[in-house]
């Protein structure tokens, strides 16, 4: 009787062991199935209007195709940052409403939804009075076309490294996001798309980060609003534009490192006095450069 009980116990233990081994194999296999490991996290921790939402995505082992990242009907490119790691950047603007942004991430096998709360932010109103001859300047079709094409640039290689630096040593005379009146009239659907630096006429303008010069335009060749202008591609949908220059010292196609000189402050184009306008764009949308100067987005 005792030997029969022992046999039953042994068999029960054997079945339990085999079951555990089988469960272990199933679980181990499960985490290898493409799509089941899809996950994401974002930065900054407490984003505000005008800032860039950076979404870091962990894909399933073996996934090499970038996931699809969407907010509403808008799709944002994701770039490979390492083994099974991808990143997408989502711009926000002062004209949007604060609140949650629902980000949908899909790799054709699995889908993850992420809710990102974007806080409100107050932007002041600035009053601009143009001197005779400067008021009412309209952009030419040439500059509108070339600048729009430049801002829409999305290249694969990441050319920046770490925090951005100031492109000029002058004080900031106009921050990002302010609303404006021009000669007393409020500009509708407008916000200041960059930072203005009130450096001295002819003072150096440098690249705030590594990149490739994609746009060089001159006032005398039709850039009536932008004036003498330089556009630098930092890669992966991130570009900088530098306006109203008195002098340009780079050429299209030239590679720049952080701190390399690209021109000098001037008063060309639609400008009320010597200054530099630096605009930073993510996937074609103007974002606050201050975030990129204060945080390292690698």
């Amino acid at each position: 009787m005792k030997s029969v009980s022992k046999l039953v116990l042994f068999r029960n233990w054997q079945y339990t062991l085999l079951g555990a081994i089988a469960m272990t194999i199933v679980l181990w296999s499960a985490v290898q199935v493409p799509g089941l490991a899809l996950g994401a996290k974002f930065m900054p921790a407490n984003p505000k209007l005008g800032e860039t939402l950076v979404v870091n995505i962990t894909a399933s082992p073996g996934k090499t195709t970038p996931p699809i990242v969407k907010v509403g009907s808008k799709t944002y490119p994701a770039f490979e940052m390492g083994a099974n790691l991808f990143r997408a950047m989502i711009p926000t603007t002062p004209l949007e409403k604060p609140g949650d942004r629902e980000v949908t991430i899909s790799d054709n096998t699995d889908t993850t939804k992420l809710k990102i709360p974007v806080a409100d932010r107050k932007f002041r109103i600035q009053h601009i009075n143009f001197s005779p001859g400067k008021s009412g300047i309209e952009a030419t079709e040439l500059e509108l076309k070339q600048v729009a094409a430049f801002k829409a640039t999305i290249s694969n290689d990441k050319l920046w490294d770490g925090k951005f630096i100031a492109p000029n040593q002058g004080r900031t005379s106009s921050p990002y996001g302010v609303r404006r009146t021009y000669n007393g009239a409020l500009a509708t659907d407008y916000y200041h798309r960059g930072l203005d630096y009130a450096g001295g006429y002819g003072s150096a303008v440098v690249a705030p980060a590594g990149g490739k010069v994609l746009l060089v335009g001159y006032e005398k060749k039709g850039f009536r609003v932008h004036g003498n202008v330089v556009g630098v591609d930092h890669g992966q949908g991130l570009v900088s534009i530098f306006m109203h220059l008195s002098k340009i010292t780079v050429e299209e196609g030239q590679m720049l490192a952080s701190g390399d000189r690209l021109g000098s402050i001037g008063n060309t184009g639609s400008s009320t006095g010597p200054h530099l306008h630096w605009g930073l764009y993510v996937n074609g949308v103007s974002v606050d450069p201050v975030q990129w100067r204060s945080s390292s987005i690698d």
Side-chain angles (χ1 to χ4, degrees):
M1 189 70 178
K2 287 183 178 178
S3 60
V4 172
S5 298
K6 286 181 179 179
L7 180 60
V8 170
L9 289 171
F10 173 75
R11 284 179 176 173
N12 287 340
W13 174 84
Q14 190 177 38
Y15 294 146
T16 302
L17 178 62
L18 290 173
I21 292 172
M23 180 63 74
T24 301
I25 291 172
V26 170
L27 290 175
W28 184 86
S29 300
V31 298
Q32 302 303 311
V33 176
L36 294 182
L38 182 65
K41 58 183 180 179
F42 71 91
M43 61 174 291
N46 300 295
K48 301 183 293 293
L49 290 178
E51 292 186 332
T52 304
L53 307 179
V54 182
V55 182
N56 297 302
I57 303 160
T58 303
S60 308
K63 278 285 184 180
T64 56
T65 303
I68 298 168
V69 180
K70 299 185 76 173
V71 178
S73 60
K74 177 71 174 177
T75 301
Y76 296 93
F79 296 91
E80 189 172 6
M81 304 304 294
N84 307 318
L85 297 175
F86 295 87
R87 180 181 61 203
M89 297 190 297
I90 300 169
T92 69
T93 78
L95 300 182
E96 298 174 19
K97 292 182 179 179
D100 289 343
R101 301 295 187 273
E102 185 170 272
V103 183
T104 302
I105 305 164
S106 174
D107 63 1
N108 295 322
T109 306
D110 194 19
T111 297
T112 293
K113 290 185 183 292
L114 193 65
K115 275 195 175 180
I116 304 178
V118 179
D120 200 0
R121 184 175 166 192
K122 301 301 180 185
F123 298 95
R124 65 185 178 87
I125 295 179
Q126 187 178 44
H127 304 282
I128 300 293
N129 291 303
F130 283 118
S131 58
K134 290 286 186 178
S135 179
I137 293 177
E138 293 185 1
T140 64
E141 185 177 348
L142 168 73
E143 70 177 312
L144 288 175
K145 205 169 173 183
Q146 291 194 23
V147 170
F150 165 72
K151 290 177 181 177
T153 299
I154 299 177
S155 54
N156 289 323
D157 294 332
K158 174 179 171 289
L159 302 177
W160 81 90
D161 184 23
K163 292 182 182 180
F164 281 46
I165 65 172
N168 181 262
Q169 295 304 306
R171 66 177 178 84
T172 302
S173 56
S174 182
Y176 168 89
V178 300
R179 303 297 304 277
R180 278 182 173 174
T181 66
Y182 287 103
N183 291 346
L186 180 66
T188 58
D189 298 326
Y190 169 88
Y191 67 95
H192 187 226
R193 289 166 167 79
L195 295 176
D196 284 353
Y197 289 85
Y201 187 93
S203 60
V205 176
V206 303
K212 181 179 182 179
V213 179
L214 290 190
L215 173 67
V216 171
Y218 291 93
E219 184 178 41
K220 64 184 179 182
K221 292 186 177 180
F223 285 77
R224 291 196 305 220
V225 170
H226 294 77
N228 297 334
V229 61
V230 170
V232 176
D233 174 27
H234 304 295
Q236 299 186 348
L238 181 65
V239 302
S240 284
I241 192 164
F242 307 91
M243 296 164 52
H244 312 307
L245 304 174
S246 61
K247 184 179 181 182
I248 294 174
T249 57
V250 294
E251 298 177 349
E252 290 184 5
Q254 184 174 335
M255 300 299 297
L256 299 176
S258 178
D260 283 352
R261 186 164 185 165
L262 57 87
S264 305
I265 276 189
N267 188 32
T268 56
S270 181
S271 171
T272 58
H275 75 286
L276 167 70
H277 174 93
W278 170 33
L280 187 65
Y281 288 75
V282 170
N283 294 320
V285 177
S286 169
V287 297
D288 193 348
V290 169
Q291 177 191 9
W292 289 80
R293 287 200 54 202
S294 58
S295 302
S296 181
I297 301 176
D298 287 319

